[in-house]
Amino acid sequence: MPSILLVEDEPDMQRGLRDNLEFEKYEVDIAGDGRTALKMITEGAYDLIILDIMLPAMSGLDVCKQVRQQGITIPIIMLTARGEEIDKVLGLELGADDYVTKPFGVRELLARVKALLRRTEGTAGGGQEKMVLGLLEIDFASYAALRAGQPLSLTPKEIEIMKYFWHHRNKTVSRDELLTNVWGYDQTISSRTVDNFILKLRQKIEDDPANPRYLLTIHGVGYKLIA
Ligand code: CA
């Protein structure tokens, strides 16, 4: 699942776009202001950014400029306002890849997201579909895993868990977050199940599962993948 950061401050737009993007099987994070967005982009690993220009704290144009100055090449689609032609020109000059003018049809935006992801597949964003961590390699697209060059047997669910951690690496991920994002709203799965999955994963990916180096427990909160 490609992951998208939606940077937008209007709650209705956040909700509407998130629903539509998730329906198309994208993973969506939301930032409500420019400064938060910049932090999330720097720390996270997104495949694409949808960036509104009019934002609190820091404008979308400034976010775009800083992202590109840091050498981050994640594709960016700007949301510009009708009549603000200058923003569109400036956005593209600052390194945005595409733009959509508000008010827009959600179909148009989805088409542009899809086209841009196809265009930049495998070239931008930092290799979203593949994780390399120490001796461990996981190809999320083909569900194949290697450890020190040898095939490693991970179940599809284990690979999905690793993918979620990889997209949120170096951040604490709560059990609830994992439940919601990896299992969906399956009521039969409890947080105890999550813990059991993590224990099994450690047996497979850690040199010393009792003293994990990659998949750490954050007591009272959840887990963190160190990368
Ligand atoms: Ca706005």
Side-chain angles (χ1 to χ4, degrees):
M1 253 201 297
S3 67
I4 294 178
L5 179 67
L6 172 61
V7 189
E8 168 64 69
D9 56 318
E10 290 149 58
D12 285 350
M13 285 282 284
Q14 287 178 351
R15 202 159 30 235
L17 289 179
R18 186 214 285 265
D19 286 352
N20 277 284
L21 289 164
E22 286 183 345
F23 186 76
E24 297 292 323
K25 304 277 179 250
Y26 297 113
E27 199 180 295
V28 183
D29 280 350
I30 292 179
D33 69 81
R35 220 183 299 280
T36 306
L38 190 60
K39 191 164 181 291
M40 290 172 80
I41 294 163
T42 315
E43 292 175 356
Y46 296 102
D47 295 294
L48 186 137
I49 302 164
I50 298 172
L51 183 60
D52 189 28
I53 289 186
M54 297 292 284
L55 292 167
M58 182 190 278
S59 84
L61 291 172
D62 285 332
V63 172
C64 182
K65 188 174 166 188
Q66 294 217 23
V67 164
R68 293 302 185 235
Q69 274 175 355
Q70 293 182 33
I72 298 170
T73 59
I74 305 171
I76 296 177
I77 297 179
M78 289 273 197
L79 305 182
T80 66
R82 190 174 296 264
E84 301 290 325
E85 199 72 2
I86 186 72
D87 283 348
K88 177 180 92 187
V89 174
L90 211 52
L92 294 173
E93 274 176 10
L94 290 173
D97 298 274
D98 202 353
Y99 64 88
V100 177
T101 304
K102 283 181 175 181
F104 53 84
V106 76
R107 271 172 201 280
E108 186 195 347
L109 178 63
L110 291 173
R112 289 186 183 277
V113 165
K114 199 179 261 182
L116 193 50
L117 281 171
R118 203 162 40 227
R119 199 165 88 209
T120 57
E121 201 175 6
T123 61
Q128 293 312 292
E129 292 314 308
K130 196 161 182 185
M131 174 192 116
V132 179
L133 182 62
L135 298 175
L136 195 64
E137 279 178 59
I138 301 178
D139 185 333
F140 297 121
S142 66
Y143 281 74
L146 294 173
R147 190 158 184 273
Q150 298 299 311
L152 176 68
S153 171
L154 295 179
T155 66
K157 192 58 81 185
E158 286 171 337
I159 288 187
E160 282 162 25
I161 295 169
M162 286 308 293
K163 184 176 178 181
Y164 191 81
F165 275 119
W166 181 246
H167 284 166
H168 300 83
R169 56 191 181 269
N170 302 317
K171 284 191 254 180
T172 301
V173 172
S174 72
R175 289 174 180 81
D176 278 349
E177 199 181 332
L178 273 178
L179 276 173
T180 305
N181 290 288
V182 178
W183 279 271
Y185 295 92
D186 184 345
Q187 297 295 326
T188 62
I189 302 290
S190 70
S191 54
R192 176 63 61 84
T193 315
V194 175
D195 294 341
N196 288 335
F197 265 92
I198 301 293
L199 286 177
K200 280 204 196 108
L201 260 174
R202 282 192 183 132
Q203 304 283 348
K204 296 181 179 183
I205 69 165
E206 299 279 355
D207 291 329
D208 180 2
N211 294 293
R213 169 180 171 174
Y214 299 118
L215 211 42
L216 306 189
T217 299
I218 307 299
H219 287 289
V221 190
Y223 298 99
K224 186 192 269 190
L225 180 73
I226 303 296

